[in-house]
Amino acid sequence: MALAEADAVARHAIRVRGAVQGVGFRPFVYRLATTLGLVGSVRNDADGVLIEAQGDAAALERFERRLRDDAPPLARVEHVESTPQALAHDAAFAILDSRAGRVTTAIAPDTATCADCLAELFDPGDRRYRHAFVNCTNCGPRYTLTRALPYDRASTSMAAFALCPQCRREYDDPADRRFHAEPNACPRCGPTLALVDAEGQPIPGDPIAATIERLRTGAIVALKGLGGFHLACNARNASAVAALRARKQRDAKPFAVMASDLDAAQRWVRADAAAHALLRSPERPVVLLPLRADRPDALEGVAPGLHTLGVMLPCTPIQALIAHEAPDLLLVMTSANPGGEPLVVGNDEALRRLHGIADALLLHDREIVARGDDSVVRVGADGAPRFVRRARGYVPRPIRLPRAGPAVLATGAWLKNTVCLTRGDEAVLSPHIGDLGTAATCDALVESVDHLCRILDVQPQAVAHDLHPDAFATRFALAYAAARGLPAIAVQHHHAHVAAVAAEHGHRGPLLGLALDGVGLGTDGHAWGGELLRVDGAAFERLGHVAPLPLPGGDAAAREPWRVAAAVLHRLGRGGEIAARFADQRAAGAVAQMLERDVRCPLTTSLGRWFDATAALLGVCTTQSYEAEAPMRLEALAAGAACAEDGLEALVTIGADGILDPTPLLARLADERDAARGAALFHDALADGLARWVAQAAAATRLRRVALGGGCFLNALLTARLVPRLETLGLDVLEARQAPPNDGGLALGQAWVAIATLAQGD
Ligand code: ZN
Ligand code: ZN
Ligand code: FE
């Protein structure tokens, strides 16, 4: 009997890899081991977490299974490996300090307040009742308040707050939910809230109650969030929304809203089970969802001309308190970044930069170290998120590359800039930085590079950048490389788009790339943006492109779709109609002449411009007040229309030279009176042509796999029409899933091309 018991006892060394540090993993292991009657130890080290566990063999087996199945919410267990060991004499199970030496650890993303913390927040008997900074190991701020590795309180902006004895006890107790919760705080020792007016004068009363009161009466209130300030107002108050637009100088770009809970959200948008899961996920992104026709209010001015609305649920304790105490309020929640500049993060900065915009500001004294806008996703056909913007909640979660390489810094594109830093086989994308059109945004890029280097604890060994010589991101990359004697690697824009998608799918070797985009500089010095490529790591070949369109007046044509429509009319031999069709445009006559004489008409192969031309020909959008307004409105119209048309093949032709030409389609649409029908036909015929185009290239190259990249893939309808067609034709389709397909994910592709380039020299 005694012998049998002894036989059943075993000891295993268990290695756990993944995001398992700074997420409550060791206390979880401690509790699990103690529950199962195991002895041994757990510690962090350079490879993750190392466990020594000893006890009943059956209990050990359960232990190892539950390490994966029951891991804490923020942990991501990628790998568990167990090796038998000789028995030892531990009296109990212990949490050991980190093993000496460099600890390769990862900072977790910021995470929505967990259910346990919310219960405390709303419990009048709890010591954290209505404490706007409640958090625990399973939730709360991380990335946005961390200055550098190692991740402990001293390297966060919570260093300014000394733990009170009660919070200290929680922090030190392995059995407590707040064991080593670095931002741990309570009303006695934590940060405090203050509502102030536009001049910075305190507004008396309870800050949350006073904020709600102001929101109810139509005021615009700046709310300090995790990664920056939001501007909030009552979404159902059209004059408040109009005032916000006027003050923020934002004509029509859609606003996101915050609903108090899922039920409230569903009064406004249609959300299926996948959308529910995303809305309630710990990442808590803004989710783009179809507006309900039977919603209680039109929400005038919130998302003009669009069929979707960006919705989020409360993410922070401040937001949760507002939602809890004013559950009927639907709030516009927009990033406080006046004039397209970077997000406002500091209190003084907020008072200065939001002067004239916010009527009141809800401030607190916990410093935001790093910016992090809200992430924006839509729900993919498979229920998984597709990024429109990847920031708070996801950054700095690494994207696994197909192979390790030297640390590369990639500086991204001019629009929707993000930067990327690699460490081993991990690529970390910065949060959305913005369009590099202002000095402040350029400064934000530099800060972001510096912050990434510190929180990953790496120094770049090479720099990757776009081909465009004038872009700030390129000039910065070249200067950075020169100052440090590093190689600088130029990566063509659409090569990078395709490489980003290939990289996140772990693809090595050649594949086809379909880059459908706004604009990026080509290797021939022209503006590209509708490219069919053969990509093989560091190299690419241009197999074909979309028929070039002239842009009368150059850059102006990107803002004014009617100009591109005029170019199409001219191509169709109908240039005589330009002046009459676009009579409301003062430059119509001049544009007709430019096209006639072929002056100031640079060419582009951008597919985005064909969307613009179509939107303008159909009268959907002739001038844009924000980037991609025309294609977004076109998609919104098409989404509500049916299109059952034969003979699509004739509408988009493919030449022997590999040129895809939608001119016949636009010839049809130029006389279409039903804009919705025309918009639907455009999407269908285009998807049909694109699929045939890729299939031809697949046959010629004997490649079956195609990666889809570029901003046009934010168009859910085009994607939904194209992907099944490609799959029917026998292609294996890779979509952007871990990063946005647009320029927000470009730096990832640049970094991967640079690693492939450097590997050639090995
Ligand atoms: Zn929590
Ligand atoms: Zn405390
Ligand atoms: Fe692009």
Side-chain angles (χ1 to χ4, degrees):
M1 197 62 194
L3 197 67
E5 265 175 28
D7 276 349
V9 172
R11 185 180 185 88
H12 288 176
I14 303 160
R15 156 66 60 205
V16 187
R17 287 195 177 86
V20 289
Q21 297 180 356
V23 291
F25 201 78
R26 286 179 305 158
F28 153 70
V29 170
Y30 169 89
R31 285 193 296 272
L32 186 58
T34 314
T35 312
L36 294 170
L38 303 176
V39 296
S41 65
V42 56
R43 74 193 333 157
N44 286 338
D45 69 5
D47 291 316
V49 164
L50 185 63
I51 303 166
E52 299 241 352
Q54 176 172 320
D56 181 79
L60 258 181
E61 195 181 301
R62 270 205 302 282
F63 176 73
E64 286 170 21
R65 198 177 54 240
R66 289 178 62 184
L67 278 181
R68 272 184 188 278
D69 296 350
D70 301 346
L74 301 192
R76 290 165 87 86
V77 175
E78 288 180 2
H79 180 85
V80 178
E81 190 183 297
S82 174
T83 330
Q85 304 277 299
L87 298 184
H89 301 283
D90 304 287
F93 198 91
I95 296 182
L96 305 181
D97 282 340
S98 300
R99 185 165 276 175
R102 188 162 167 277
V103 176
T104 305
T105 184
I107 310 283
D110 300 83
T111 303
T113 309
C114 74
D116 289 337
C117 286
L118 287 179
E120 293 170 352
L121 184 66
F122 302 143
D123 175 5
D126 193 274
R127 72 187 192 95
R128 288 190 177 85
Y129 177 56
R130 294 183 93 244
H131 178 52
F133 305 90
V134 60
N135 69 84
C136 72
T137 318
N138 300 328
C139 76
R142 294 288 186 280
Y143 169 83
T144 54
L145 52 62
T146 305
R147 293 179 209 284
L149 280 182
Y151 175 65
D152 55 30
R153 192 170 175 105
S155 50
T156 72
S157 56
M158 285 303 289
F161 302 89
L163 287 164
C164 72
Q166 240 176 319
C167 287
R168 163 62 67 184
R169 267 199 300 282
E170 296 168 339
Y171 183 90
D172 288 334
D173 177 3
D176 195 278
R177 194 170 98 245
R178 298 195 163 91
F179 177 70
H180 277 255
E182 304 301 344
N184 189 23
C186 76
R188 264 175 74 194
C189 67
T192 45
L193 276 184
L195 183 68
V196 301
D197 67 17
E199 308 307 322
Q201 295 307 309
I203 294 173
D206 176 76
I208 296 289
T211 296
I212 291 169
E213 193 186 305
R214 271 160 184 76
L215 289 168
R216 286 203 187 284
T217 52
I220 295 166
V221 183
L223 306 174
K224 192 168 180 178
L226 282 172
F229 279 77
H230 284 103
L231 289 166
C233 73
N234 181 354
R236 303 179 70 178
N237 181 332
S239 59
V241 174
L244 178 56
R245 287 207 178 276
R247 295 185 202 172
K248 210 186 165 193
Q249 295 172 2
R250 176 152 156 162
D251 289 346
K253 199 172 175 184
F255 288 136
V257 300
M258 184 180 83
S260 54
D261 63 17
L262 198 54
D263 285 343
Q266 294 192 97
R267 299 175 66 207
W268 308 96
V269 291
R270 282 184 281 121
D272 59 11
H276 294 182
L278 271 171
L279 283 166
R280 284 197 289 216
S281 67
E283 293 86 356
R284 209 55 58 97
V286 170
V287 185
L288 296 177
L289 293 167
L291 275 161
R292 293 178 73 109
D294 59 351
R295 58 187 183 268
D297 187 306
L299 301 183
E300 192 188 327
V302 173
L306 302 183
H307 67 306
T308 57
L309 179 65
V311 180
M312 68 177 226
L313 298 184
C315 172
T316 67
I318 293 176
Q319 293 168 3
L321 280 170
I322 293 173
H324 189 71
E325 294 171 21
D328 59 308
L329 266 185
L330 184 76
L331 293 179
V332 162
M333 288 286 270
T334 183
S335 300
N337 59 335
E341 296 216 324
L343 198 53
V344 172
V345 291
N347 289 351
D348 294 341
E349 183 194 4
L351 282 165
R352 196 173 66 246
R353 287 178 57 200
L354 301 180
H355 201 268
I357 300 180
D359 299 307
L361 302 91
L362 185 59
L363 307 176
H364 61 69
D365 51 355
R366 185 179 71 198
E367 188 193 340
I368 296 170
V369 171
R371 285 186 185 83
D373 280 85
D374 294 325
S375 293
V376 182
V377 304
R378 62 178 177 79
V379 189
D382 54 2
R386 298 291 189 275
F387 285 103
V388 175
R389 186 168 72 197
R390 185 179 182 274
R392 177 190 49 73
Y394 298 94
V395 173
R397 188 181 295 164
I399 296 167
R400 195 72 63 188
L401 295 172
R403 56 166 285 170
V408 171
L409 169 67
T411 58
W414 191 80
L415 291 175
K416 303 178 190 64
N417 182 273
T418 63
V419 297
C420 180
L421 184 61
T422 70
R423 178 175 72 176
D425 65 351
E426 296 176 337
V428 175
L429 273 174
S430 75
H432 169 83
I433 293 168
D435 299 345
L436 300 177
T438 67
T441 321
C442 295
D443 290 346
L445 181 152
V446 178
E447 281 171 30
S448 208
V449 168
D450 186 45
H451 185 245
L452 271 186
C453 289
R454 279 185 283 119
I455 62 159
L456 296 182
D457 193 21
V458 291
Q459 287 305 313
Q461 301 301 303
V463 182
H465 59 84
D466 193 64
L467 285 184
H468 204 297
D470 303 331
F472 173 80
T474 303
R475 286 184 279 121
F476 169 77
L478 292 173
Y480 189 96
R484 291 163 181 78
L486 304 177
I489 296 155
V491 183
Q492 199 278 325
H493 189 99
H494 303 99
H495 182 195
H497 271 312
V498 173
V501 178
E504 68 149 291
H505 287 275
H507 178 92
R508 296 170 72 163
L511 85 172
L512 294 171
L514 184 62
L516 305 179
D517 205 18
V519 67
L521 187 61
T523 49
D524 58 3
H526 288 290
W528 292 8
E531 311 301 314
L532 183 55
L533 308 178
R534 178 188 190 277
V535 170
D536 188 1
F540 80 94
E541 185 189 343
R542 193 186 198 198
L543 302 175
H545 57 78
V546 171
L549 273 178
L551 299 177
D555 285 347
R559 291 187 300 273
E560 300 176 18
W562 71 269
R563 288 175 183 255
V564 204
V568 169
L569 287 171
H570 178 258
R571 174 164 302 167
L572 294 171
R574 297 166 66 169
E577 297 174 26
I578 294 171
R581 276 198 180 228
F582 303 110
D584 54 337
Q585 301 295 337
R586 252 186 302 159
V591 160
Q593 292 224 331
M594 278 181 216
L595 288 161
E596 201 61 50
R597 296 181 195 154
D598 191 18
V599 291
R600 296 189 57 218
C601 283
L603 294 175
T604 178
T605 57
S606 161
L607 186 69
R609 295 299 88 77
W610 285 91
F611 274 88
D612 292 355
T614 303
L617 277 182
L618 291 172
V620 176
C621 179
T622 48
T623 59
Q624 307 195 97
S625 75
Y626 58 94
E627 202 229 338
E629 179 180 2
M632 282 165 72
R633 285 178 178 257
L634 197 65
E635 181 190 354
L637 260 185
C643 175
E645 182 127 0
D646 295 332
L648 294 179
E649 267 192 62
L651 296 177
V652 177
T653 63
I654 300 160
D657 46 7
I659 294 180
L660 178 108
D661 191 354
T663 304
L665 173 59
L666 271 79
R668 258 289 303 279
L669 297 178
D671 296 316
E672 174 64 60
R673 283 165 197 282
D674 181 341
R677 223 177 69 117
L681 175 62
F682 176 74
H683 282 82
D684 258 27
L686 187 62
D688 180 77
L690 290 165
R692 282 182 284 118
W693 198 31
V694 174
Q696 273 189 17
T701 57
R702 298 174 171 274
L703 294 171
R704 280 190 53 249
R705 184 166 264 203
V706 61
L708 310 181
C712 295
F713 287 105
L714 291 182
N715 183 319
L717 186 65
L718 178 71
T719 309
R721 294 280 184 272
L722 176 59
V723 172
R725 280 182 161 94
L726 288 170
E727 286 171 346
T728 304
L729 292 167
L731 284 139
D732 176 20
V733 181
L734 305 183
E735 286 183 72
R737 301 187 49 154
Q738 297 186 60
N742 67 3
D743 289 2
L746 198 78
L748 171 65
Q750 293 173 338
W752 173 235
V753 172
I755 286 177
T757 305
L758 294 164
Q760 288 178 326
D762 287 352

